[in-house]
Amino acid sequence: MLPSSPDARRQTPFAASLARSADHTACRAAIRAGSRSFYVASWLLPEAVRRDAYGLYAFCRLSDDAVDGAGARADAVPSLRARLAAAYAGRPADAPADRALAEIVSRHAIPQALPAALLEGLAWDAAGRRHPDLSSLVAYAARVAGSVGAMMTLVMGERSPEALARACDLGIAMQLTNVARDVGEDARAGRLYLPETWLREAGIDPDAFLARPEPSPALAAVVARLLAAADLLYARAESGIAMLPPACRPAVRAAGLIYAEIGRDLTRAGLDPVTRRARVPGARKVQLLARAVVTPSLRRADRPALPEAAFLVEAVAAMPVTPAAPRPAWWNVGAQVVRVLDLIETLRERERVGGAAPS
């Protein structure tokens, strides 16, 4: 909801967009509760980047919940678009995520087209849009996840088209993994994201499956096909990690490894996303965090952005920015590795005693 008090409307854009410490704390709590895999991977980010990442993801999370959560409303998307416009105008709604977003998009010169793309994807959700083929599904994933990858890349201080294209690849790969994992849950809610041509080729009628979702060898083949498409994008995304600040690379790699592991778990369990939800246990996350720290970053030949995600890269290229400031102290990995190893050991200990994740 937009600010309703006269005083809130009279605030100057600069004053209104200043997020308070409590706002950032609230954003962090929202992510810890609503996006466990991202929260774990975020431990590897430098503190300054992590704080802005929480603010960015908090707005994305509340947007998704407004459209798809228990209290979803028919006017959710128009309301979110109004909140986004207010944040960019420097007059954010009176909510922690909105104030944090206003500050973050200004500091990192994030074009409005990126979060607007996320809201467009959520509007497709609200309309119950289905996908005839993989390209349609990728176009959706570019909006709801590729846009977030591109925004995170800007928060990390990297704006090159190649790095942004690879960030979109990673976000889309993660979303395809989510689609594979959530087939049963989505179907029971009346939603279907799997490419309908793939289903029909496998002998599955999409409407019949929605009416009565059941595991089958045919469905397993479709899910395996989608995970294979995701794996190709995880591989494409890897070269973009080498373009990020060294201190940010382990977190991005960890996020990719953890999400890809969801697909591995789904495969090991027989590719049944209807009666079982794939997950990555804490002990396995520890192993993946450790691998993310020690794996070197390698550049490969540049590749253009996927056609379905090119508009995100172009939006950043079209936005003029001031010359880059000197690189901050966290740019180099240095003591970050020590912090990462400490966090891994803390997670191991919490896992042994069954406690919560480290704060």
Side-chain angles (χ1 to χ4, degrees), residues 13-14 16-18 52 56 87-92 98-112 115 154-155 159 319-322:
F14 178 77
S17 66
L18 286 178
D52 283 357
L56 183 63
Y88 269 86
R91 297 183 297 274
D98 294 69
R99 284 190 292 270
L101 180 72
E103 186 177 282
I104 291 162
V105 299
S106 176
R107 181 188 299 118
H108 300 288
I110 298 176
Q112 190 170 344
L154 299 180
V155 167
R159 306 185 71 86
M319 183 172 188
V321 295
T322 56

Side-chain angles (χ1 to χ4, degrees), residues 41-343:
S42 73
W43 301 341
L44 308 189
L45 287 171
E47 183 177 356
V49 178
R50 188 167 65 249
R51 189 185 77 160
D52 283 357
Y54 289 156
L56 183 63
Y57 267 78
F59 187 84
C60 296
R61 171 59 57 183
L62 76 83
S63 298
D64 186 57
D65 289 345
V67 174
D68 198 27
R73 294 173 44 173
D75 65 346
V77 174
S79 176
L80 289 167
R81 284 174 170 152
R83 288 174 68 165
L84 180 64
Y88 269 86
R91 297 183 297 274
D94 185 18
D98 294 69
R99 284 190 292 270
L101 180 72
E103 186 177 282
I104 291 162
V105 299
S106 176
R107 181 188 299 118
H108 300 288
I110 298 176
Q112 190 170 344
L114 271 56
L118 167 69
L119 298 187
E120 182 182 19
L122 295 180
W124 292 5
D125 274 335
R129 183 165 178 163
R130 284 155 61 170
H131 304 286
D133 52 30
L134 180 62
S135 178
S136 174
L137 176 57
V138 168
Y140 165 75
R143 284 159 175 78
V144 299
S147 62
V148 180
M151 288 189 282
M152 278 296 301
T153 302
L154 299 180
V155 167
M156 294 176 193
E158 177 58 50
R159 306 185 71 86
S160 70
E162 170 70 9
L164 291 164
R166 302 291 72 81
C168 291
D169 288 344
L170 182 57
I172 293 168
M174 291 177 173
Q175 187 62 30
L176 297 185
T177 299
N178 282 342
V179 167
R181 179 194 63 194
D182 296 341
V183 168
E185 180 182 331
D186 288 333
R188 288 185 286 271
R191 291 183 175 174
L192 182 65
Y193 293 93
L194 293 173
E196 294 189 336
T197 53
W198 290 12
L199 290 169
R200 292 193 177 95
E201 288 168 6
I204 299 173
D205 177 81
D207 294 318
F209 178 78
L210 268 180
R212 189 176 180 180
E214 293 180 336
S216 67
L219 178 65
V222 173
V223 172
R225 190 175 176 182
L226 186 60
L227 291 175
D231 283 342
L232 290 175
L233 290 175
Y234 283 122
R236 276 173 58 103
E238 177 61 32
S239 66
I241 296 176
M243 305 181 70
L244 298 174
C248 295
R249 294 172 192 169
V252 176
R253 182 174 291 107
L257 290 171
I258 290 171
Y259 270 84
E261 187 66 16
I262 294 171
R264 307 284 179 270
D265 182 74
L266 185 53
T267 300
R268 286 191 294 267
L271 294 167
D272 171 14
V274 177
T275 63
R276 176 185 178 274
R277 181 180 173 86
R279 60 182 295 271
V280 182
R284 181 57 178 154
K285 286 178 181 177
V286 167
Q287 296 172 345
L288 296 173
L289 289 175
R291 185 195 302 178
V293 174
V294 301
T295 302
S297 298
L298 303 174
R299 286 291 306 277
R300 296 183 176 86
D302 288 358
R303 297 179 182 179
L306 293 175
E308 298 86 352
F311 75 102
L312 298 168
V313 179
E314 292 163 0
V316 176
M319 183 172 188
V321 295
T322 56
R327 291 175 175 176
W330 55 258
W331 185 276
N332 294 314
V333 71
Q336 182 73 2
V337 172
V338 176
R339 169 178 158 74
V340 166
L341 296 176
D342 286 344
L343 285 168

